């Protein structure tokens, strides 16, 4: 079975540019999570969706960050405008929503803002 | 103080050694306890998860949870160079599925 698929794997762009990260969850999973990982702060939850509806976005650092899930098989995380401090690895994870289910992670997008 | 504390390491051991990785936490509402393994430039991979207190064994890996002490452990027997990775503990409560992660412990198993 295919796991969580993220694209692009690497992104290098200049400050001020718009960045869009993409995620395809595991088929049949109806919870989706966006995380950011840095050396200083570790893994932080940014936002999560249940059945395509945003449930908790308290981890989104600023209004420059936005996330959407237009359907069960696709989500985007957008940063506009990007800043150097946004440089990090961004992970997407998915799980089933019934009861408690473990999360399965993609391999992340390594983002560098120059 | 962070909700979940984990020694960052690095922890360096010879091949075949028994490895003990640990996390402490402060939130008594945590009920589910997980260990993820993360290789360089890869996403976290779920190793094991347990509910409430007790032990769980899977091959060379054993997870222990002591809720009274707010302390969880992962033991790796007969460690192999392929076990070299960063190990992340994670926890959640019964409500919802939000995880709180420790900072990760980097493990190096030398041949």
């Amino acid at each position: 079975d295919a796991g969580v698929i993220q694209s692009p794997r690497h992104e290098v762009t200049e400050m001020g540019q718009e960045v869009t990260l993409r995620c395809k969850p595991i088929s049949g999973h109806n919870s989706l999570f966006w995380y950011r990982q840095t050396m200083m702060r570790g893994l932080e939850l940014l936002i999560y969706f249940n059945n395509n509806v945003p449930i908790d976005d308290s981890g989104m650092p600023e209004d420059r960050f936005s996330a959407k899930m237009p359907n069960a098989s696709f989500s985007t995380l957008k940063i506009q405008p990007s800043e150097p401090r946004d440089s990090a690895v961004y992970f997407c994870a998915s799980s089933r929503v019934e009861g408690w289910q473990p999360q399965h992670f993609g391999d992340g997008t390594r983002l560098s803002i120059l | 103080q962070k909700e979940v504390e984990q020694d960052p390491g690095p922890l360096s051991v010879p091949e075949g050694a028994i490895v003990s990785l640990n996390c402490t936490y402060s939130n008594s509402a945590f009920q589910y306890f997980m260990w993820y393994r993360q290789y360089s430039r890869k996403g976290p991979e779920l190793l094991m998860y347990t509910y409430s207190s007790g032990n769980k064994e899977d091959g060379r890996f054993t997870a222990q949870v002591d809720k009274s002490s707010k302390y969880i452990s992962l033991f790796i027997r007969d460690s192999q160079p392929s076990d070299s990775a960063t190990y992340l503990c994670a926890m959640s409560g019964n409500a919802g599925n939000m995880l709180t992660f420790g900072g990760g412990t980097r493990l190096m198993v030398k041949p």
Side-chain angles (χ1 to χ4, degrees):
Chain A
D1 288 342
V4 175
I5 299 172
Q6 292 187 245
S7 64
R9 290 298 312 277
H10 304 273
E11 177 86 12
V12 180
T13 192
E14 292 187 346
M15 182 175 68
Q17 296 298 306
E18 178 178 291
V19 174
T20 300
L21 311 181
R22 297 173 176 80
C23 175
K24 177 178 170 56
I26 293 172
S27 178
H29 284 191
N30 41 13
S31 286
L32 184 138
F33 306 79
W34 282 102
Y35 291 87
R36 178 171 67 178
Q37 186 176 41
T38 61
M39 289 292 292
M40 289 295 294
R41 300 172 68 91
L43 259 174
E44 300 175 288
L45 177 66
L46 300 177
I47 185 171
Y48 83 95
F49 298 82
N50 280 350
N51 296 312
N52 313 337
V53 176
I55 302 300
D56 191 318
D57 65 354
S58 59
M60 297 285 262
E62 299 173 33
D63 291 346
R64 299 184 295 105
F65 286 70
S66 63
K68 293 182 180 180
M69 192 163 186
N71 58 61
S73 58
F74 183 67
S75 177
T76 59
L77 178 67
K78 188 172 294 187
I79 309 172
Q80 167 63 19
S82 58
E83 297 184 4
R85 60 195 168 112
D86 302 331
S87 298
V89 182
Y90 290 80
F91 288 102
C92 176
S94 71
S95 73
R96 297 186 188 277
V97 75
E98 296 81 16
W100 184 92
Q101 299 288 335
Q103 295 178 25
H104 299 268
F105 283 74
D107 281 336
T109 295
R110 187 170 296 270
L111 178 64
S112 296
I113 309 297
L114 306 177
Chain B
Q1 184 183 5
K2 295 181 180 179
E3 270 194 301
V4 180
E5 298 278 0
Q6 189 175 4
D7 188 329
L11 178 62
S12 182
V13 301
E15 182 176 354
I18 296 174
V19 175
S20 173
L21 304 168
N22 311 293
C23 288
T24 59
Y25 63 95
S26 57
N27 189 343
S28 58
F30 288 145
Q31 295 288 342
Y32 292 91
F33 303 91
M34 289 134 274
W35 286 96
Y36 284 83
R37 176 175 63 194
Q38 186 175 21
Y39 291 115
S40 179
R41 297 185 176 268
K42 301 287 280 185
E45 170 196 9
L46 181 67
L47 273 178
M48 301 178 70
Y49 68 93
T50 56
Y51 174 73
S52 194
S53 287
N55 295 358
K56 186 173 184 179
E57 187 173 322
D58 184 1
R60 296 185 294 111
F61 298 87
T62 299
Q64 288 185 352
V65 175
D66 182 350
K67 290 189 68 181
S68 63
S69 301
K70 295 188 176 65
Y71 188 87
I72 71 170
S73 301
L74 178 70
F75 297 95
I76 307 174
R77 290 184 298 280
D78 187 24
S79 56
Q80 302 294 310
S82 59
D83 295 328
S84 299
T86 296
Y87 289 79
L88 298 152
C89 64
M91 309 176 187
S92 70
N94 277 329
N97 201 7
M98 293 174 63
L99 299 183
T100 301
F101 280 86
T105 299
R106 186 178 165 209
L107 172 66
M108 294 183 292
V109 181
K110 297 186 175 181

